[in-house]
Amino acid sequence: MRMTGKILEGIRVLDLSRLLPGPFGTAVLSDMGAEVIKVEAPDDRDIVRGMPGFNQAINHGKKSLSLNLKTEKGRDIFFKLVKRCDVLVEQFRPGVMERLGAGYEECRKHNPKLIYASLSGYGSRGPYAEKAGHDLNYLSLSGIAGITGVDSGELAIPGVQIADLTGGLYLVIGILAGLQYVCKTGKGLRVEVSMFESCLSLVGIHLADFFLNRKDPGPGTMNLNGGLPNYHLYQTRDGRWISLGALEGKFWSNFCKKAGKPEWENRLWGNAEELVKLKEELKELFRSRTLEEWEKLASDPDLCLEPVRKFSEIEEDPQVKSRGLILSIHSQGGREYRVIRSPVRFCDFEQEQLSPAPEKGQDNREILLSLGYSESEIEVLKKEGVI
């Protein structure tokens, strides 16, 4: 029997984060059923709102309260909400929330069971704590940027914001663990996630090897970043690209046979010079056919050979269509947006219709009425610039 509702129904999250990292994390919580209330300064211009698709992808299903935390009345409203929330998420540099009078110690006075989750570039302590930063900076300092590029040694900027997204996911992990802690102890706690440290965790397996051999890797020199001929991106005759990921012997053997090169099967065990030569021959082989021709070969499920998709091709991918991975959202104005479905599925629950990202302050009245404010008091708050 399929159940309605969602797994985190009843959990309320107060979200003070902006841009991508924090909102991506709270979007994961929202997709799992948590009620997420975005708290936004009335006069703040969030550039995400100028990117409609981006905004819908990470803010759908949330509520919005515009609130000036620099005013006494704004803080009063804030703490009334803190009392009713299970989780608070903030993404300011260390010390900002304390200067606003809304730090962890103050918030826990109002709600001892609160999970207070802080996401920042470098954490609350250390020589980098006060530094500004963005995704590329964290990738650079963690060494990830230094191993991302092409065989020639030229570096490349990754196509997605790895640090931001990973930081948001670690934030979710910390929050979920924190909620379990509250259930067991009845006590809240502070969760801290650093995007720099999140990047270090991703590159941790490679750093562990480095700590043993003290050899600095670079782009195209490691087994899984272009060093192996059987795990690489190759260009086809029509200028498209295809990925070969035949790491295990059985997959490599199958590829060689299907590609008409059975004599290559044992060449993976050669020395470095022979592997370089094999890679060059593979380049020539892939250039001999179009992507469409290689895709016909790739229909074999044991090849680990897949086309590099353009965005314009993803929605027609048979796996995407079969699994219903693209969902539609309709804004209040009637415009349709299409977003990617959460990869976390709870198989006994029905997929519910997604609601659109809120306009700033869209839920002011509903939230304030629930806190006990009257219609006339709400009008005064609006005139005074509190909301």
Side-chain angles (χ1 to χ4, degrees):
M1 179 179 174
R2 303 276 283 179
M3 294 181 282
T4 57
K6 291 190 176 182
I7 204 81
L8 289 183
E9 191 170 1
I11 299 297
R12 182 175 289 130
V13 180
L14 202 56
D15 182 10
L16 280 73
S17 65
R18 40 194 307 280
L19 300 177
L20 175 59
F24 177 73
T26 56
V28 174
L29 297 173
S30 175
D31 283 340
M32 290 193 286
E35 177 188 0
V36 177
I37 302 172
K38 287 176 61 65
V39 178
E40 308 177 75
D43 58 352
D44 184 43
R45 180 179 175 273
D46 185 352
I47 62 172
V48 169
R49 290 192 178 278
M51 299 181 281
F54 189 131
N55 184 40
Q56 294 294 337
I58 63 171
N59 287 318
H60 64 265
K62 300 178 183 179
K63 296 180 178 180
S64 173
L65 172 68
S66 59
L67 188 64
N68 187 348
L69 288 174
K70 295 179 181 179
T71 65
E72 184 176 346
K73 289 183 178 180
R75 287 190 293 274
D76 287 343
I77 295 169
F78 174 76
F79 286 123
K80 286 179 180 179
L81 276 172
V82 166
K83 288 177 182 178
R84 298 185 176 202
C85 287
D86 303 281
V87 180
L88 182 149
V89 173
E90 64 93 6
Q91 192 186 296
F92 298 107
R93 287 199 225 181
V96 170
M97 287 293 283
E98 285 73 17
R99 290 193 291 275
L100 286 170
Y104 172 56
E105 294 301 330
E106 188 62 34
C107 285
R108 71 188 300 194
K109 293 176 185 176
H110 296 268
N111 184 352
K113 293 184 178 182
L114 182 70
I115 303 300
Y116 191 102
S118 298
L119 178 62
S120 64
Y122 302 102
S124 61
R125 293 181 292 109
Y128 295 170
E130 298 294 328
K131 291 182 73 171
H134 279 294
D135 190 271
L136 188 58
N137 305 124
Y138 312 134
L139 294 178
S140 300
L141 286 171
S142 65
I144 292 177
I147 57 173
T148 304
V150 294
D151 295 354
S152 65
E154 186 174 350
L155 301 183
I157 298 175
V160 298
Q161 289 65 53
I162 296 172
D164 291 353
L165 300 174
T166 305
L169 289 175
Y170 273 122
L171 187 75
V172 171
I173 293 169
I175 288 170
L176 295 178
L179 289 171
Q180 177 66 11
Y181 177 80
V182 173
C183 287
K184 292 170 66 175
T185 68
K187 299 177 182 178
L189 52 78
R190 183 172 186 177
V191 176
E192 182 180 297
V193 174
S194 150
M195 285 177 273
F196 168 57
E197 292 167 30
S198 298
C199 287
L200 280 177
S201 77
L202 295 183
V203 80
I205 55 173
H206 304 303
L207 284 170
D209 281 339
F210 168 77
F211 295 147
L212 287 174
N213 61 41
R214 312 307 294 184
K215 294 179 181 177
D216 269 316
T221 65
M222 303 163 69
N223 285 346
L224 302 184
N225 78 346
L228 290 178
N230 55 320
Y231 192 87
H232 213 279
L233 296 170
Y234 292 99
Q235 194 168 26
T236 59
R237 190 173 72 197
D238 51 348
R240 297 294 301 275
W241 291 84
I242 195 163
S243 63
L244 176 64
L247 282 175
E248 292 84 351
K250 63 180 180 179
F251 297 134
W252 172 247
S253 174
N254 199 21
F255 169 75
C256 291
K257 292 171 184 174
K258 292 284 185 179
K261 297 290 183 179
E263 68 276 14
W264 285 4
E265 191 170 337
N266 294 320
R267 292 183 62 188
L268 280 183
W269 323 122
N271 58 34
E273 185 178 332
E274 290 169 335
L275 290 179
V276 170
K277 184 179 179 183
L278 176 58
K279 189 187 296 184
E280 291 303 315
E281 292 179 35
L282 276 164
K283 288 180 182 178
E284 290 303 313
L285 175 65
F286 279 104
R287 288 194 196 104
S288 69
R289 305 182 193 181
T290 64
L291 181 64
E292 184 179 359
E293 290 171 323
W294 282 114
E295 282 193 272
K296 290 177 183 177
L297 188 74
S299 62
D300 186 312
D302 286 323
L303 276 191
C304 298
L305 183 70
E306 300 295 350
V308 175
R309 294 277 193 229
K310 295 178 180 179
F311 278 18
S312 57
E313 297 168 328
I314 290 173
E315 56 193 332
E316 294 302 319
D317 182 281
Q319 182 72 5
V320 171
K321 295 174 77 171
S322 171
R323 297 275 288 174
L325 302 185
I326 299 177
L327 302 178
S328 291
I329 298 175
H330 290 87
S331 70
Q332 292 180 343
R335 183 174 180 182
E336 181 184 18
Y337 294 92
R338 305 182 76 199
V339 299
I340 299 301
R341 179 178 182 159
S342 169
V344 181
R345 298 191 185 208
F346 299 98
C347 298
D348 292 334
F349 285 78
E350 297 280 359
Q351 170 67 45
E352 295 186 359
Q353 182 70 35
L354 298 181
S355 59
E359 297 296 327
K360 182 188 285 189
Q362 167 183 306
D363 303 286
N364 285 359
R365 181 176 176 275
E366 174 196 333
I367 293 169
L368 291 172
L369 287 174
S370 75
L371 294 176
Y373 289 87
S374 67
E375 295 281 8
S376 59
E377 287 173 321
I378 293 172
E379 284 302 313
V380 171
L381 291 170
K382 190 182 299 182
K383 290 177 182 178
E384 293 178 346
V386 176
I387 60 173

